[in-house]
Amino acid sequence: MRIIFLGAPGAGKGTQSELISAQYGIPAISTGAIIREAIATGTDMGLEAKAYTEKGMLVPDEVVIGIIKERLVKDDCKKGFILDGFPRTVAQAEALDEMGVDIDLVISIEVKDEDIVKRMSGRRVCGSCGSSYHIVYKPSRSGEQCDKCGSDLSIRADDKPEVVLDRLRVYHEMTEPLKDYYKSKGKCVEVEGQEILDDTSALVREQIALAFGK
Ligand code: AMP
C-alpha cells in the first residue's frame, strides 16, 4: 500500500496520514517533519532548509528528493508507506517514478483557501515529537501539552498568517498540477475536506477501501 496525500497546507494531510498509518501499520513519512527536525537539531540540511521554510517557500527539489531516497530504503517501508507533503512539484513526482516507486493511490484533500487561512490560526505543533493538533478540531487532552510526549505545543513559524498566504500561492502554482499528473495515470482521487476531522477520515477510508478492497 503506497499512498500519497496531496492538498494545500493545513488541509489535513498530516492528520489523515497518521490515522491511516496507525490503522494499517505502515509509516507516514512527512518531509516537512523531517525538515523541521533537521532545523531543530541544526544539521547542514536544516540550515539550508530554514531560510526557505520560514518564507513559506519550497526547499529545493534535490534536497527533498535526497531525503525521500534515504527514507524509502529503510526496512519499515517494505510493506508500504504514506507520503505526506511529498511530492510537491512535478520534478519530485518524476524523481519518484525514476526511483521505480510505484504509487497505488493519490488522495487529494480539497479545502477552500479561505477555510485554510481560518484553520491555520488554530493549528499547534509539538516541538519535540512533531505531533500536530488544532485548538478546535483536534485539541490535545491536556490543553497546551502534547498527548504523546508531554512537551509544550506551539504555533509553527510558517503558520503565521502572512506566511500561510505565500504557502497557498506556492501550493496552487507548484503542487496543484500534480493532481493532473496523477489523474492522467488514473491514480488520483479527490476528497472534500470536512469541518469535522472524523468525517474527512470516513471519506478517506472509503477511497482506500475502493482502491485496496480493505
Ligand atoms: P509541511 O509540514 O508539509 O507543510 O512542510 C513545511 C515546509 O517544509 C514547507 O513549507 C516547505 O518549505 C518544506 N517542505 C516540506 N516538504 C517539501 C517538499 N516535498 N518540497 C519542498 N519543500 C518541502
Side-chain angles (χ1 to χ4, degrees):
M1 186 182 265
R2 288 175 294 266
I3 300 175
I4 291 173
F5 275 101
L6 280 181
K13 302 185 295 291
T15 304
Q16 296 304 328
S17 302
E18 282 171 23
L19 291 171
I20 300 303
S21 162
Q23 186 177 350
Y24 293 97
I26 52 175
I29 299 167
S30 156
T31 39
I34 295 172
I35 290 168
R36 275 188 292 283
E37 196 186 332
I39 293 173
T41 50
T43 65
D44 286 347
M45 186 271 278
L47 290 176
E48 187 184 353
K50 192 168 191 267
Y52 295 96
T53 56
E54 277 178 352
K55 292 195 199 97
M57 291 164 64
L58 294 184
V59 171
D61 285 335
E62 60 273 20
V63 176
V64 271
I65 290 167
I67 292 173
I68 281 294
K69 274 191 178 152
E70 270 181 31
R71 184 64 187 85
L72 293 186
V73 293
K74 294 200 173 156
D75 272 356
D76 63 343
C77 293
K78 285 200 176 119
K79 278 198 307 182
F81 50 79
I82 301 153
L83 295 179
D84 158 24
F86 185 96
R88 261 180 159 97
T89 65
V90 170
Q92 292 176 18
E94 286 169 350
L96 265 186
D97 293 344
E98 278 157 27
M99 285 160 62
V101 175
D102 193 11
I103 296 298
D104 301 303
L105 178 65
V106 178
I107 301 176
S108 177
I109 304 181
E110 304 292 315
V111 177
K112 287 199 205 85
D113 283 9
E114 63 220 60
D115 293 335
I116 291 286
V117 175
K118 274 189 234 151
R119 283 183 186 205
M120 298 295 253
S121 61
R123 191 151 86 161
R124 300 289 181 271
V125 68
C126 171
S128 298
C129 74
S131 298
S132 68
Y133 299 89
H134 192 283
I135 53 174
V136 179
Y137 305 119
K138 192 190 168 196
S140 81
R141 281 193 297 275
S142 50
E144 286 300 304
Q145 275 82 38
C146 178
D147 289 343
K148 286 191 191 146
C149 72
S151 302
D152 286 343
L153 302 180
S154 55
I155 300 179
R156 263 169 59 172
D158 58 350
D159 277 354
K160 298 199 180 95
E162 60 281 14
V163 183
V164 168
L165 293 179
D166 284 332
R167 292 170 69 200
L168 274 173
R169 253 194 303 277
V170 169
Y171 167 73
H172 290 303
E173 193 179 319
M174 309 294 287
T175 309
E176 215 171 9
L178 288 178
K179 286 199 277 180
D180 283 340
Y181 182 87
Y182 286 113
K183 273 181 190 166
S184 71
K185 296 173 188 281
K187 291 185 172 167
C188 181
V189 294
E190 294 185 8
V191 157
E192 289 294 326
Q194 308 292 311
E195 198 158 335
I196 311 280
L197 195 151
D198 286 347
D199 294 345
T200 309
S201 298
L203 297 174
V204 165
R205 292 215 168 90
E206 212 172 276
Q207 291 300 336
I208 290 179
L210 275 174
F212 300 99
K214 55 182 175 179

